Amino acid sequence: MKTLVIVTHPDIEKSVINKRWIEELKKFPEKYTVHQLYEAYPDGKIDVAKEQTLMEAHDTIVFQFPFYWFSSPPLLKQWLDEVILHGWAYGSNSGYKLAGKRMTLAVTAGIDEEGYSASGKYKYTMKELFRPYELTFDYIKAEYKEPFVYYGIERDSPSDKWIEKSVPMYLDFLNTLSTSSFGQGKLALHNCQDSL
């Protein structure tokens, strides 16, 4: 079954990595359904029934976005509030429509990995900062998978080589999601300072 990739980027044309990932995913329509929230809902009016049907049709769901103010772009928060509803996703009479589905994040982060540590600039690890997502997915009985993080987006003039380096890593991550061996272990972390 195909993987649903829900992309939330408010200015995809100015994107460096997210735009490139979308281009690559669209080469494999038999494997990935790419759904861009800002493209689908430029007015912010979300078709809840459509979104719920789309999620029900996929067993693996990835939320792809740039890390904004230690969270997601605002439309994803709105989407979560409006789509993951009581009576559908959770609650005694909901049937837990997303139960057992694999869910994770694919995130681009501005600074290097070291900045997201107890001794780093932002004092907290990505694992700690992602806890609201983990708890949300656990609450609706989905199977939370450790996220993919590509660090260092704020570097000056990222090279084409550095951008392209992220593509096979991201595809490998997505391919691994469907295997039973991929679980609650270490985040799939990728730093721009790795050897090019």
Side-chain angles (χ1 to χ4, degrees):
M1 181 172 277
K2 293 184 356 176
T3 296
L4 173 61
V5 181
I6 298 175
V7 181
T8 312
H9 196 300
D11 195 357
I12 198 66
E13 289 309 310
K14 291 184 179 174
S15 167
V16 175
I17 299 293
N18 281 274
K19 182 179 178 181
R20 179 64 188 95
W21 288 354
I22 292 168
E23 291 168 356
E24 194 67 22
L25 295 178
K26 286 185 174 181
K27 292 178 183 178
F28 305 98
E30 72 286 356
K31 293 177 76 173
Y32 308 110
T33 301
V34 178
H35 181 49
Q36 296 185 65
L37 293 185
Y38 277 96
E39 181 180 277
Y41 305 112
D43 59 0
K45 294 179 182 173
I46 296 170
D47 184 335
V48 173
K50 179 181 175 182
E51 296 300 305
Q52 290 175 343
T53 299
L54 187 60
M55 292 187 76
E56 288 179 11
H58 294 81
D59 289 334
T60 303
I61 302 164
V62 177
F63 295 90
Q64 177 186 315
F65 57 89
F67 209 45
Y68 266 46
W69 289 109
F70 313 103
S71 186
S72 68
L75 188 57
L76 181 54
K77 176 61 169 83
Q78 178 187 340
W79 184 95
L80 290 166
D81 291 343
E82 294 182 14
V83 175
I84 309 298
L85 295 176
H86 181 269
W88 178 74
Y90 65 96
S92 58
N93 296 320
S94 68
Y96 287 90
K97 300 290 195 266
L98 303 175
K101 292 185 183 288
R102 292 176 294 273
M103 291 190 182
T104 192
L105 312 174
V107 175
T108 55
I111 67 171
D112 294 329
E113 182 180 353
E114 296 77 26
Y116 293 99
S117 66
S119 61
K121 180 177 181 178
Y122 297 133
K123 301 187 283 187
Y124 298 99
T125 66
M126 278 296 198
K127 186 174 181 80
E128 291 170 311
L129 294 169
F130 288 153
R131 283 199 177 128
Y133 298 99
E134 181 178 357
L135 289 170
T136 297
F137 300 155
D138 284 348
Y139 192 76
I140 60 174
K141 301 185 180 185
E143 185 181 345
Y144 179 70
K145 300 295 188 179
E146 292 296 340
F148 178 87
V149 182
Y150 198 66
Y151 291 95
I153 306 309
E154 292 176 1
R155 69 184 340 211
D156 293 330
S157 303
S159 70
D160 289 343
K161 189 173 183 180
W162 177 76
I163 294 166
E164 288 306 309
K165 178 185 168 191
S166 72
V167 174
M169 287 192 247
Y170 186 35
L171 292 178
D172 287 347
F173 169 81
L174 293 175
N175 289 332
T176 306
L177 285 175
S178 61
T179 67
S180 59
S181 63
F182 191 86
Q184 302 286 343
K186 190 177 186 311
L187 272 71
L189 305 174
H190 300 285
N191 197 314
C192 73
Q193 292 184 344
D194 292 343
S195 61
L196 294 173

